[in-house]
Amino acid sequence: MDSRLNAFLERAESVLARIEPLLPAPRPVIDWGTCLAARWQRDGRSGYLLPLEVSLDMRLSDLIGVDRQLDQLGRNTQQFLDGMPANHALLWGSRGTGKSSLVRALLAEHAAAGLRLIEIERDHLADLPRVVEQIAKLPQRFVLFCDDLSFESGEGDYRVLKSVLDGSLEQAPDNVLLYATSNRRHLVPEKESDNENWKRVGGELHPSEAVEDKIALSDRFGLWLSFYPFTQEHFLNVVEHWIGQLAAKAGLSWQRDEALDILAVRWATGRGNRNGRCAYQFARYWVGLKLLEHKA
């Protein structure tokens, strides 16, 4: 009897060892009192919130030259935190100009007041009702953040998304807002051919149904904030800011001069863009180079 039982247990252990890797991992329980951010993870036909370790080193004072956008989104976020009416926001414009950084800086600014961030990918936006259901009755205030929300030509997902946003956002509890970033104002490509079917009615131009259909998606956001390419002066001011931040941490003495400005402009020209991301990358390059020189 003992030998048969031992054989059965050995076979059971063997089967479990093969099945265990196929089983879903235990889902973490989030303590929103200490956890500041999470990401929605798709898991088969369902999903769950995965807690994230986030850095709060991005401050509003680090965002140079976007005062108007900062003021408007900051005011909207403060209204949200105070339980007042607030709008879902679309931050659109050139890449690397501070759209995502502004959202993360607001988290750092207001985390102590109960603001929390949940990242959700574009392809998972159909799960919005499930996400909202999990956080609806919590005391914290949640910004659902979709970074780089856009659609390519021929994709019909944006029509599905419109209906999801209509249902999820209009009926969302008052502790949930959606902030999204995009390189496109209307989230979808706008082509010259879209204008071919405009009609003139009573002396007025009326857009085609294709144009109306595309614009309708971005209309789901009550607040639009535009981010534009940096001027050279703006770019160099951001370079100066980040070099100052990095040099201070490293104990490096430095001074802005014409040679530094020329080197920074060449760096941006070589990369074909002049934005905040490029300025930060140059600052890291320059400070690291100077530290190596001092070490030698």
Side-chain angles (χ1 to χ4, degrees), residues 66 68-70 90-94 97-99 102 225-229:
V66 289
R68 180 184 59 82
Q69 297 90 328
L70 190 158
L90 174 63
L91 288 66
W92 73 275
S94 302
T97 50
K99 300 184 295 294
L102 176 52
L225 297 177
S226 309
F227 291 74
Y228 300 102

Side-chain angles (χ1 to χ4, degrees), residues 18 28 36 40-41 45 88 97 104 113 135 149 151 157 175 182 204 215 218 225 255 262 271:
R18 284 179 286 177
L36 304 182
W40 178 255
Q41 294 284 109
R45 295 184 178 181
H88 307 289
T97 50
R104 294 189 171 96
I135 58 178
L149 176 61
F151 299 88
D157 291 354
N175 71 331
S182 178
E204 295 182 351
I215 295 176
S218 53
L225 297 177
Q255 187 173 3
I262 292 173
R271 280 151 182 76

Side-chain angles (χ1 to χ4, degrees), residues 109-121:
E109 181 76 11
H110 298 295
L115 185 64
R116 300 293 183 263
L117 191 71
I118 295 178
E119 296 182 356
I120 182 167
E121 296 181 12

Side-chain angles (χ1 to χ4, degrees), residues 66-266:
V66 289
D67 298 338
R68 180 184 59 82
Q69 297 90 328
L70 190 158
D71 180 63
Q72 291 188 47
L73 193 64
R75 185 167 57 246
N76 190 68
T77 304
Q78 188 62 60
Q79 291 172 204
F80 175 56
L81 288 170
D82 291 343
M84 301 175 184
N87 278 308
H88 307 289
L90 174 63
L91 288 66
W92 73 275
S94 302
R95 68 187 190 277
T97 50
K99 300 184 295 294
S100 302
S101 297
L102 176 52
V103 176
R104 294 189 171 96
L106 285 171
L107 174 64
E109 181 76 11
H110 298 295
L115 185 64
R116 300 293 183 263
L117 191 71
I118 295 178
E119 296 182 356
I120 182 167
E121 296 181 12
R122 186 209 78 165
D123 294 338
H124 299 165
L125 283 173
D127 295 338
L128 271 177
R130 298 177 183 175
V131 180
V132 170
E133 182 182 4
Q134 295 190 26
I135 58 178
K137 297 181 181 180
L138 297 176
Q140 291 82 12
R141 317 290 287 182
F142 293 89
V143 167
L144 305 183
F145 179 48
C146 184
D147 200 14
D148 195 20
L149 176 61
S150 62
F151 299 88
E152 299 303 324
S153 296
E155 287 187 305
D157 291 354
Y158 73 90
R159 292 186 176 89
V160 176
L161 177 57
K162 280 197 303 183
S163 62
V164 172
L165 291 181
D166 276 339
S168 300
L169 299 186
E170 291 180 6
Q171 301 175 20
D174 63 1
N175 71 331
V176 176
L177 272 188
L178 176 64
Y179 286 177
T181 69
S182 178
N183 294 333
R184 300 186 178 117
R185 180 178 56 174
H186 292 143
L187 306 177
V188 289
E190 298 177 73
K191 299 182 178 181
E192 184 178 355
S193 59
D194 291 337
N195 298 322
E196 293 177 354
N197 296 317
W198 282 55
K199 298 178 181 179
R200 185 181 296 274
V201 180
E204 295 182 351
L205 281 176
H206 290 258
S208 66
E209 291 184 1
V211 174
E212 291 281 11
D213 193 33
K214 292 181 176 182
I215 295 176
L217 178 57
S218 53
D219 277 348
R220 270 59 183 173
F221 298 90
L223 179 62
W224 289 9
L225 297 177
S226 309
F227 291 74
Y228 300 102
F230 288 9
T231 64
Q232 182 166 299
E233 181 182 3
H234 185 182
F235 173 74
L236 291 174
N237 288 338
V238 177
V239 167
E240 180 182 10
H241 170 80
W242 283 119
I243 289 180
Q245 294 288 313
L246 296 170
K249 292 180 181 178
L252 175 68
S253 297
W254 72 288
Q255 187 173 3
R256 178 176 171 179
D257 55 23
E258 185 178 358
L260 172 61
D261 287 355
I262 292 173
L263 192 61
V265 170
R266 287 177 178 171

